[in-house]
Amino acid sequence: MDTADRPDAAAGRGPCAAIPAEQMDFVRQILDRVGDKWSMLVIAVLAAGPLRYTDLRREVPGISQRMLTLTVRQLQQDGLVTRTAYAEVPPRVEYALTPLGRSLHQIVTSLITWVADHHGQIREHRTRTGTAP
Amino acid sequence: MDTADRPDAAAGRGPCAAIPAEQMDFVRQILDRVGDKWSMLVIAVLAAGPLRYTDLRREVPGISQRMLTLTVRQLQQDGLVTRTAYAEVPPRVEYALTPLGRSLHQIVTSLITWVADHHGQIREHRTRTGTAP
DNA sequence: CTGGATCCCCCTCGATACTG
DNA sequence: CAGTATCGAGGGGGATCCAG
């Protein structure tokens, strides 16, 4: 667009473009959650319906108990999933997405759509610059 | 892979909901990039226009040379930013967003919008469960 | 069955110093 | 000005054992 802005470019752009810098660290927290190795997988799996601990662990390929517990706890603290423990003789705990969790899942789904839409270009650039696929 | 027969609850949901599991690791790579501490900041700053190395470093608060170099290199390899080196007496290198980078920025902007829209609920849940804000 | 506790490896990132 | 090289601390995450 306008190229005349470059000399004193820092003047008009502020610390981080359109990000209010007050919400910056909060946005980063959510971004961390999104970029987390397991969070989105758990959310994606739970999007199909509630699951109990063991089933959840089976559905997420390669997750350890530790990571599943930690991930689920974080998601619960953020209000993205609910944890329902039934006081039965064999303990039963069910995890389910909250409406908030579902809305985040929708957002990430759109991101995934973007990836599916552009992964060709990205792969091309990566191979062109000598990066492993 | 004979077992297209997923017994029990997993029947209808597949390995990871709507994610083809073949693109799974690739999606994760992009998710990592998005969730990366610096990538989105760099993209956000560059969204306002091209910048050279030092200016870019000044615009991103708290980034080290190392991280700036690594981040920018990754983004370049993914075809999200361009690196233009001018063979001048004082070396000058300009970084700019590619159209692909701009489109990713748009996606993340929508994510940020979501955060701005729901951070109230998340904070509420966090404080309710005794998590530090 | 659900998860807490512990050990430990390894990778990431930050700070510093140096080169072209 | 624009990076590269090196080192060192920190934490993420896997494996395992144990408890409620």
Side-chain angles (χ1 to χ4, degrees):
Chain A
M1 314 289 277
D2 45 320
T3 55
D5 60 327
R6 232 223 354 98
D8 52 355
R13 75 171 67 224
C16 273
I19 310 176
E22 185 167 272
Q23 303 184 345
M24 248 319 298
D25 59 313
F26 191 77
V27 168
R28 279 240 65 261
Q29 292 177 37
I30 306 298
L31 244 45
D32 274 343
R33 201 71 85 245
V34 170
D36 185 51
K37 186 175 180 181
W38 301 113
S39 296
M40 290 318 302
L41 287 179
V42 168
I43 289 183
V45 166
L46 285 182
L51 279 182
R52 43 192 303 185
Y53 188 83
T54 305
D55 295 334
L56 191 52
R57 196 180 149 201
R58 258 220 337 227
E59 287 298 320
V60 180
I63 197 173
S64 61
Q65 299 108 332
R66 171 188 163 85
M67 279 302 102
L68 179 54
T69 300
L70 289 178
T71 300
V72 144
R73 183 186 298 162
Q74 299 242 322
L75 293 176
Q76 182 195 0
Q77 286 174 345
D78 285 357
L80 300 175
V81 310
T82 57
R83 179 187 186 274
T84 312
Y86 299 92
E88 301 174 359
V89 177
R92 181 164 65 99
V93 179
E94 275 204 347
Y95 296 94
L97 280 191
T98 64
L100 189 60
R102 260 187 293 277
S103 70
L104 178 58
H105 178 243
Q106 290 308 313
I107 289 284
V108 174
T109 295
S110 75
L111 177 61
I112 290 175
T113 301
W114 180 90
V115 172
D117 219 34
H118 298 81
H119 84 282
Q121 299 182 48
I122 298 181
R123 289 198 106 90
E124 181 185 355
H125 278 278
R126 284 191 182 177
T127 54
R128 185 183 305 171
T129 51
T131 306
Chain B
M1 308 291 290
D2 49 322
T3 64
D5 47 296
R6 187 86 78 168
D8 50 44
R13 77 171 66 224
C16 271
I19 311 177
E22 185 167 90
Q23 303 186 344
M24 249 318 299
D25 59 312
F26 190 77
V27 168
R28 281 238 62 263
Q29 294 177 36
I30 306 298
L31 245 43
D32 274 340
R33 200 74 84 246
V34 171
D36 185 50
K37 186 176 180 182
W38 301 114
S39 296
M40 290 320 300
L41 287 179
V42 169
I43 288 182
V45 166
L46 286 181
L51 280 182
R52 43 194 301 186
Y53 189 84
T54 305
D55 295 333
L56 191 52
R57 196 180 150 198
R58 257 217 339 223
E59 288 296 320
V60 179
I63 196 173
S64 60
Q65 300 106 332
R66 173 187 162 84
M67 278 301 101
L68 179 54
T69 300
L70 288 178
T71 300
V72 144
R73 182 184 299 161
Q74 299 243 320
L75 294 176
Q76 182 196 359
Q77 286 174 345
D78 286 357
L80 300 174
V81 310
T82 58
R83 179 188 186 275
T84 312
Y86 299 91
E88 299 175 358
V89 176
R92 182 164 66 99
V93 179
E94 277 204 347
Y95 295 95
L97 280 191
T98 63
L100 189 60
R102 259 187 294 278
S103 69
L104 179 58
H105 179 244
Q106 290 307 314
I107 287 285
V108 173
T109 295
S110 74
L111 177 61
I112 290 175
T113 300
W114 180 90
V115 171
D117 219 34
H118 297 81
H119 82 282
Q121 300 183 48
I122 298 182
R123 288 198 107 89
E124 182 186 354
H125 278 278
R126 283 191 182 178
T127 54
R128 185 184 305 172
T129 51
T131 308

